[in-house]
Amino acid sequence: MTISKNLKEKIIIIAENDEHLADEISSQLNKQGFSNIRIADDGSKVYEILRPFYNDIEQVGLVVVNEELPQCQVMEMCLAFNNDSSVIPFIILNPTKDYSSELEKSDLTSKGLLHYMPLPINYSEFFSIINFQLIIKHEYFLRHKQEERLINELAERKVIDAKMKYLVVHDELTNLLNRRNFEREVRLILNRNNQQQKNGALLFIDIDRFCLVNELEGFEVGDRLLVTVVSIIRKLIAKSDLFARIGSDEFCLFIKNKTADEVKKFAEKIRKAVYEYRFCTGDVCYSISISVGISGLSTATIVYHPNELISRARHACNMAKDNGRNLVWEYNEQDSSVRERRRDIYWVPLIKKALLNDSFFLVFQPIVNLFSGEVSHYEVLIRMRGDDNEVISPVEFIPVAERMGLIHSIDLWVVESAITFLAKLPTEKSNISLSINLSSVAFQDASLLPTIKEKLELTWVDAKRIAFEITETAAVGNFEKTRDMITKIRALGCKFSLDDFGAGFCSFNYLKTFPVDYVKIDAQFIRDLINNPTDQILVKSMTELVANLGKKTIAEYVDTPEAIEKLREIGVNLGQGYIFGKPEMHLLPNEYIVIPDLMQQKKAEQDVMNTIKMLT
């Protein structure tokens, strides 16, 4: 049996500690044309020779190893180098042990990868075995490469097929159109509809509380529920209608050639059919329901893109959920929620831009002692500067920020800016204190406390110069969490004011345990205080209650001397309103926002004193 020159260039390892025998075998191999021979006198040397070829085992031809080789477990070595990813034939010299039990785990002998050779060596038989093993090894290598190539080709084909199935065919679970195909089909319909003015509508269908089934029963049951709902709806729709799954439990159904009334009746029919079905799994039966949003084509505003139509129907579906679920809701451009959504779309980028470009600024309104005429402290309020340098009221952007998750960033900006403002004041103005007006959700933000603490430590501002305002509704709405946060902030030395007190009346039960220093009486009781005896009675009751609890009262929207006189008579401690000063700001050359000049403030305080003296 002759072999190619290429095979004779493979590495042959002679693992023999008998130097004379190793040289003899090497010499005989050289005579037969084998040129790449390595000798190892113990097991570790074998591994050392093989180590560089672990990733290219094809370079190794075979191993001739003496059974008595030091530091070597011969059969363990044979099995280690013959597996799914590599093949190295072995010739074991002078075998005396029984390896049958170990060979049961492998078929090396039957494959021709393991041979035994007694000593002394019969070289005629020895070379025949070597030639045979090298050919067998080469055949294994070629077959392995071919299998590897076929596996890769099959894997690539499966990936391509899967992508084609997803992008071109349907949703795998329900066999409905996927979103991409649905949008393409609807786009064609919209183009024709805008030219021919045909009727039609898109229904956005969402399974109510679907996540509950997933959580309680598992995803497999959840998938079965999806298929069941699809089956119910499929029985009711026409073949020409487009039905698609666009989310986990969200579906879109486009109905052609139906009037608005017909669409609504049909949507109700679908809702009722699903609601009347009982979905059972094991011993449990669920009453399932869907919320349906309708976006019709017959609207004042022409729809050009499927995403716009889907967005409108989704919004209507959300309205159905907000109003109790298991409802059909039509999209109406005049709905307050729609106008609110458009308002959010307009304001969100402006708010983000203002945060990035530092377009917010602070204004300060004095809170005055009604008996001494002195300014107690200043309330800090936020304003936004527009592109044309116009001043934008927080009434415009704060509600949007609260709805869209931007309010916490604004709150933290106000806190940091107010404390920085105090830190930049000259020493002669160190008596000035601020009351920081934050949003209704500020005290639910875990980052508020560390921000205040870090800012106070960095600026060395006395915490007693800072008070925070919280509205009654926010305080009562999440009482325990809010009280805990306020207690921790007060531990830093800051004060607190309860704003809009009395607006809901329910806060009377909480006030005795709520850790605040000031209580602001809601403006609705102050605006007509002079002419409304009921307001006078309520304000007096609030003032006495607050005083007995050791807290001070602040009256908002104080605008007339008569109101000052009445508030003094009732016993209210502090007042805030335009008669004392509007929210103002002043820019020093260093660009830091500060309150108006102290001399001007002295004059304003003197005017207040004169007013109070005239009334006394």
Side-chain angles (χ1 to χ4, degrees):
M1 181 186 300
T2 58
I3 59 174
S4 66
K5 182 181 178 181
N6 182 52
L7 291 179
K8 287 188 175 183
E9 292 176 351
K10 302 293 182 183
I11 297 170
I12 294 180
I13 301 173
I14 302 174
E16 174 59 62
N17 67 323
D18 185 335
E19 185 177 351
H20 175 73
L21 180 57
D23 288 340
E24 178 185 318
I25 297 171
S26 176
S27 176
Q28 292 293 330
L29 288 170
N30 282 329
K31 289 178 182 179
Q32 294 295 320
F34 295 97
S35 58
N36 199 348
I37 299 170
R38 313 286 176 90
I39 297 176
D41 56 8
D42 61 45
S44 64
K45 293 287 181 59
V46 176
Y47 285 101
E48 186 176 328
I49 293 170
L50 289 172
R51 190 172 295 115
F53 304 100
Y54 279 175
N55 295 324
D56 191 15
I57 207 71
E58 177 56 18
Q59 297 298 317
V60 180
L62 56 87
V63 177
V64 180
V65 57
N66 193 308
E67 184 185 66
E68 301 299 328
L69 185 72
Q71 302 180 37
C72 180
Q73 297 292 328
V74 174
M75 190 52 61
E76 181 179 314
M77 182 185 291
C78 292
L79 295 173
F81 288 103
N82 286 278
N83 49 56
D84 292 337
S85 60
S86 66
V87 172
I88 299 180
F90 276 76
I91 297 176
I92 300 178
L93 299 178
N94 197 30
T96 60
K97 299 178 183 178
D98 182 11
Y99 297 106
S100 58
S101 61
E102 295 182 64
L103 286 172
E104 286 179 2
K105 304 174 184 177
S106 170
D107 54 353
L108 296 180
T109 305
S110 61
K111 288 180 178 180
L113 298 175
L114 180 62
H115 281 270
Y116 301 95
M117 177 67 64
L119 294 177
I121 298 174
N122 180 335
Y123 282 102
S124 176
E125 182 183 353
F126 181 70
F127 291 130
S128 295
I129 293 171
I130 287 178
N131 292 342
F132 174 76
Q133 285 187 326
L134 289 176
I135 292 171
I136 289 292
K137 173 181 169 59
H138 186 61
E139 290 296 322
Y140 272 112
F141 171 76
L142 293 177
R143 189 174 70 181
H144 177 73
K145 285 296 183 184
Q146 187 176 17
E147 288 175 351
E148 190 175 66
R149 185 172 63 254
L150 288 172
I151 289 171
N152 289 337
E153 288 177 358
L154 288 172
E156 289 175 2
R157 186 175 297 174
K158 285 181 179 179
V159 170
I160 293 171
D161 289 343
K163 287 182 178 178
M164 292 295 291
K165 184 176 183 179
Y166 178 78
L167 296 175
V168 180
V169 192
H170 296 91
D171 172 64
E172 188 173 0
L173 177 66
T174 61
N175 288 323
L176 299 178
L177 290 172
N178 59 31
R179 178 164 188 158
R180 183 170 180 174
N181 279 301
F182 180 75
E183 289 181 355
R184 183 169 61 241
E185 294 289 339
V186 173
R187 184 182 290 109
L188 295 173
I189 294 171
L190 291 177
N191 291 338
R192 292 195 300 266
N193 183 77
N194 292 335
Q195 296 174 2
Q196 302 174 13
Q197 295 298 314
K198 291 185 178 180
N199 290 322
L202 186 143
L203 274 57
F204 191 99
I205 302 169
D206 186 288
I207 301 176
D208 297 330
R209 303 189 187 281
F210 172 73
C211 60
L212 188 63
V213 176
N214 261 345
E215 291 171 3
L216 294 177
E217 305 293 345
F219 292 116
E220 186 177 345
V221 174
D223 288 347
R224 188 156 59 84
L225 173 58
L226 291 174
V227 173
T228 300
V229 172
V230 168
S231 178
I232 294 171
I233 298 174
R234 260 187 170 147
K235 293 176 183 177
L236 302 175
I237 64 178
K239 291 183 178 180
S240 60
D241 296 334
L242 300 176
F243 196 15
R245 182 188 181 197
I246 66 167
S248 174
D249 62 327
E250 297 173 336
F251 303 89
C252 278
L253 175 62
F254 189 88
I255 303 172
K256 305 174 185 177
N257 304 322
K258 286 185 183 292
T259 65
D261 288 340
E262 289 172 337
V263 169
K264 188 170 184 180
K265 288 179 182 178
F266 183 68
E268 283 287 355
K269 185 178 180 181
I270 292 175
R271 182 201 63 77
K272 186 178 179 182
V274 174
Y275 185 65
E276 290 176 349
Y277 183 83
R278 292 295 176 269
F279 177 75
C280 296
T281 174
D283 297 331
V284 181
C285 286
Y286 292 91
S287 177
I288 55 177
S289 65
I290 57 174
S291 295
V292 184
I294 302 175
S295 176
L297 297 181
S298 302
T299 59
T301 305
I302 297 177
V303 179
Y304 292 98
H305 198 280
N307 281 337
E308 187 177 355
L309 196 65
I310 293 172
S311 178
R312 291 183 176 187
R314 185 196 293 271
H315 181 80
C317 181
N318 289 338
M319 289 296 296
K321 286 184 172 294
D322 292 343
N323 283 274
R325 297 184 175 85
N326 192 30
L327 293 174
V328 173
W329 202 277
E330 292 182 276
Y331 178 84
N332 186 347
E333 294 181 354
Q334 303 306 314
D335 278 350
S336 58
S337 61
V338 174
R339 292 197 297 270
E340 189 176 89
R341 177 170 167 266
R342 289 176 179 168
R343 183 181 180 83
D344 292 347
I345 293 172
Y346 171 78
W347 277 106
V348 164
L350 296 181
I351 296 171
K352 289 182 177 179
K353 182 180 176 182
L355 286 167
L356 288 173
N357 299 338
D358 203 23
S359 298
F360 290 115
F361 64 94
L362 301 179
V363 293
F364 308 86
Q365 187 175 26
I367 297 175
V368 178
N369 188 306
L370 294 178
F371 295 90
S372 68
E374 295 177 349
V375 173
S376 170
H377 54 279
Y378 294 83
E379 180 177 0
V380 179
L381 303 165
I382 190 173
R383 300 288 187 268
M384 181 194 290
R385 186 174 288 104
D387 292 336
D388 297 326
N389 213 34
E390 77 276 18
V391 176
I392 302 173
S393 168
V395 175
E396 299 289 334
F397 59 85
I398 290 297
V400 176
E402 289 179 339
R403 288 194 296 269
M404 304 305 291
L406 298 171
I407 192 61
H408 293 302
S409 296
I410 294 177
D411 283 329
L412 295 179
W413 182 91
V414 171
V415 170
E416 293 186 4
S417 299
I419 297 176
T420 298
F421 162 74
L422 286 177
K424 293 294 180 179
L425 287 176
T427 306
E428 62 268 21
K429 295 184 180 181
S430 60
N431 62 317
I432 292 175
S433 299
L434 299 179
S435 180
I436 301 174
N437 201 323
L438 298 178
S439 72
S440 60
V441 295
F443 299 98
Q444 311 307 317
D445 183 2
S447 63
L448 179 63
L449 177 62
T451 298
I452 296 171
K453 185 176 181 180
E454 181 180 355
K455 195 67 180 178
L456 290 174
E457 290 174 350
L458 288 173
T459 59
W460 288 50
V461 169
D462 187 352
K464 294 179 181 178
R465 298 172 65 190
I466 298 170
F468 292 99
E469 293 195 11
I470 181 170
T471 62
E472 174 191 348
T473 51
V476 175
N478 199 334
F479 179 73
E480 293 297 335
K481 187 174 181 179
T482 302
R483 184 175 64 175
D484 180 63
M485 176 66 79
I486 291 176
T487 300
K488 291 176 180 177
I489 296 176
R490 289 185 88 241
L492 300 176
C494 301
K495 299 178 181 180
F496 272 87
S497 176
L498 184 62
D499 198 5
D500 299 338
F501 182 75
F505 292 101
C506 58
S507 58
F508 280 96
N509 292 327
Y510 296 92
L511 186 59
K512 62 182 179 181
T513 57
F514 210 71
V516 297
D517 304 277
Y518 302 98
V519 174
K520 276 192 170 184
I521 300 173
D522 189 65
Q524 64 176 298
F525 303 105
I526 307 299
R527 286 194 179 98
D528 196 31
L529 183 66
I530 302 302
N531 304 313
N532 192 323
T534 302
D535 285 343
Q536 294 174 19
I537 294 171
L538 291 172
V539 171
K540 184 174 178 61
S541 298
M542 294 179 202
T543 303
E544 291 174 352
L545 172 64
V546 170
N548 288 332
L549 293 173
K551 310 175 193 299
K552 293 183 179 180
T553 47
I554 303 174
E556 295 183 292
Y557 290 86
V558 181
D559 292 334
T560 64
E562 292 80 9
I564 295 175
E565 182 180 14
K566 180 56 69 175
L567 290 168
R568 282 164 52 95
E569 179 185 320
I570 291 173
V572 175
N573 305 105
L574 306 169
Q576 180 180 1
Y578 282 4
I579 192 171
F580 303 120
K582 296 181 180 180
E584 295 180 6
M585 51 125 4
H586 179 65
L587 290 177
L588 292 178
N590 61 5
E591 293 298 313
Y592 286 101
I593 299 173
V594 298
I595 59 176
D597 184 84
L598 278 182
M599 293 300 292
Q600 296 179 13
Q601 189 56 51
K602 280 282 189 180
K603 183 178 181 303
E605 293 174 13
Q606 188 60 47
D607 291 341
V608 173
M609 285 290 292
N610 292 337
T611 301
I612 293 175
K613 287 178 180 178
M614 290 174 60
L615 296 170
T616 303

